[in-house]
Amino acid sequence: RIHQLGNKRVILNHELASHYDSFMKLLAYQKSILADQSLGLVYYLLIQNRIEEAIARFDAIPREQTSLDIQYDYFAAYLSFYRSDLDAALAVANKYIDHPHLKWREWFDQMRLQIQERAAIQNGERSELASNEDWKMDGQQRVLSGQRANQQSQAAAKLPSLEILDESGQYKLRHRNVSEIDVHYYLMDIELLFTRKPFVQNNDSRLNVIAPNRSERLKLDSGKEVFPLTIPDQLKNRNLVIEVVGGGLIRSTVVYNNALVITLSTTMGQLQVTSQNNRQPLEATYIKVYARHRDGSIRFYKDGYTDLRGKFDYASVSTSDANTAEKFSILILHPEKGAAIREAQVPAPAR
């Protein structure tokens, strides 16, 4: 787990926790920490997402006192990403273009590629992650299509009917045999609701509310099958649950207000987040992933932040969960641009 949950940091990867604990005990019995050991400590801080502490520790390491030159340079370039100094990162990476060790050369190559790709995205060029996958046809729309096709008998025609439609962010109510409705608006903590029910979207079983933040009673015109639902001004651009009650029926939908463009590459297990306004990559967007496993269990899988290209690898982990996961539910949360949830199948293993 990258993002801290609660007041106490907990390392959920038991092998990592054991190594970190042993390393800290070793340091505790020394008079001072050696330069090479400080680099190891920087590594442990980084994988716990303790970025400020890692930078402070790294800046205190005298370059001339460490024997780990390439490791030192890699951390210098890596931390330059967090300092938003991409020129410095590129300068270090360029030193290792012809390095004889293949793995190190590949790692520095990745740095250069990320910087180049970010520049291409900012210049309006197409990202290699862009795809034709259409995420507008969500589960709710498919269900609604089936319900409209299933109104055949006279008995059904006499019963009350309510459905909430989402047409490109414009919400409407399709009704029949209902003269009056109560509309309730609930502000929601999307991360909390997602954590409780990662694979339940647009469904009132996700809710755990006491009272709506706003309610209104509306009269319906029996001569018009579709009625527009206008979100109150003070609740616009907020994450909401809209609940409609009328004719003995209750219908609800989740409103994710965001200015995000989310592209998923399900074959690679990666996503990319860009701004809806100017299609610029959104780095440091928080991503939380839950997985449904073959035995039916649903567990936290991984979390982290998008890189400088707005990209995040949501499928790769170093634990056995990667072998049993069969579907992902992914929360995308940006502090200014809003939030969204996507579901994706596990990528097929490479052959």
Side-chain angles (χ1 to χ4, degrees):
R1 186 184 297 276
I2 297 295
H3 188 72
Q4 182 173 333
L5 187 64
N7 296 325
K8 185 179 180 181
R9 288 187 180 274
V10 179
I11 301 177
L12 298 181
N13 185 314
H14 299 301
E15 292 182 3
L16 170 62
S18 176
H19 282 286
Y20 180 64
D21 184 63
S22 298
F23 183 66
M24 296 304 291
K25 286 180 178 177
L26 173 66
L27 299 183
Y29 284 99
Q30 296 180 180
K31 291 183 177 180
S32 61
I33 301 176
L34 302 177
D36 289 353
Q37 291 175 324
S38 287
L39 282 177
L41 185 54
V42 170
Y43 167 77
Y44 280 116
L45 292 172
L46 283 173
I47 59 177
Q48 295 177 66
N49 203 45
R50 296 162 64 177
I51 306 302
E52 292 80 5
E53 295 173 72
I55 291 175
R57 172 62 59 176
F58 180 79
D59 288 346
I61 301 174
R63 172 64 184 267
E64 65 278 3
Q65 292 184 17
T66 178
S67 61
L68 305 175
D69 292 334
I70 192 169
Q71 289 87 346
Y72 183 95
D73 281 349
Y74 185 81
F75 280 132
Y78 185 86
L79 292 173
S80 291
F81 281 36
Y82 289 101
R83 304 179 201 261
S84 298
D85 190 353
L86 302 185
D87 290 338
L90 186 60
V92 175
N94 285 337
K95 293 169 52 179
Y96 294 92
I97 292 178
D98 299 319
H99 194 271
H101 193 288
L102 179 61
K103 181 59 68 175
W104 280 110
R105 189 167 75 238
E106 287 179 348
W107 284 351
F108 284 107
D109 282 346
Q110 282 298 315
M111 287 189 175
R112 288 199 308 278
L113 289 172
Q114 286 199 24
I115 295 170
Q116 293 166 5
E117 189 175 344
R118 177 182 173 87
I121 297 170
Q122 290 179 318
N123 292 332
E125 300 174 18
R126 182 182 178 89
S127 167
E128 63 180 17
L129 188 55
S131 71
N132 293 323
E133 296 174 16
D134 185 4
W135 290 94
K136 295 182 180 179
M137 287 298 293
D138 60 15
Q140 185 190 30
Q141 291 293 337
R142 291 191 291 270
V143 170
L144 291 173
S145 298
Q147 289 170 336
R148 287 195 293 271
N150 198 32
Q151 300 171 357
Q152 298 176 352
S153 67
Q154 290 183 344
K158 297 178 181 179
L159 294 174
S161 174
L162 281 176
E163 299 299 340
I164 301 175
L165 308 178
D166 178 5
E167 299 180 356
S168 301
Q170 300 296 315
Y171 293 90
K172 299 178 181 180
L173 182 69
R174 184 185 295 276
H175 64 94
R176 189 179 62 234
N177 300 325
V178 178
S179 59
E180 189 176 71
I181 58 170
D182 290 316
V183 184
H184 305 304
Y185 299 94
Y186 302 90
L187 292 172
M188 67 175 180
D189 182 335
I190 187 171
E191 183 180 359
L192 178 61
L193 294 175
F194 173 80
T195 301
R196 289 176 175 172
K197 294 286 185 180
F199 285 91
V200 180
Q201 298 186 48
N202 297 317
N203 191 302
D204 58 357
S205 64
R206 178 191 287 268
L207 303 179
N208 183 18
V209 295
I210 299 175
N213 297 90
R214 181 184 173 93
S215 297
E216 54 188 4
R217 178 162 294 182
L218 303 174
K219 297 285 186 179
L220 300 180
D221 185 349
S222 59
K224 296 181 179 179
E225 185 178 311
V226 178
F227 178 85
L229 287 176
T230 303
I231 298 176
D233 290 340
Q234 61 267 40
L235 296 179
K236 288 181 178 179
N237 300 318
R238 306 287 295 276
N239 294 316
L240 299 168
V241 175
I242 301 177
E243 182 184 66
V244 178
V245 181
L249 302 174
I250 301 176
R251 297 290 183 264
S252 65
T253 189
V254 180
V255 179
Y256 301 114
N257 282 299
N258 65 69
L260 305 172
V261 176
I262 301 160
T263 306
L264 283 92
S265 175
T266 56
T267 56
M268 296 188 295
Q270 293 187 5
L271 62 81
Q272 185 177 42
V273 186
T274 56
S275 172
Q276 193 176 72
N277 299 330
N278 53 21
R279 295 303 174 96
Q280 292 296 294
L282 294 177
E283 58 188 277
T285 301
Y286 179 56
I287 312 293
K288 177 182 280 190
V289 185
Y290 274 77
R292 177 184 289 134
H293 295 265
R294 297 192 190 104
D295 61 2
S297 64
I298 296 174
R299 300 193 297 273
F300 171 83
Y301 188 78
K302 70 180 296 185
D303 67 349
Y305 295 87
T306 55
D307 61 22
L308 73 164
R309 304 165 298 172
K311 289 186 178 182
F312 182 79
D313 181 342
Y314 60 81
S316 299
V317 293
S318 59
T319 66
S320 59
D321 282 350
N323 300 323
T324 60
E326 62 178 12
K327 191 172 185 180
F328 296 124
S329 185
I330 307 165
L331 170 68
I332 301 98
L333 188 61
H334 191 276
E336 298 174 356
K337 303 291 186 179
I341 295 174
R342 296 289 186 268
E343 293 185 6
Q345 297 295 330
V346 173
R351 295 182 179 179

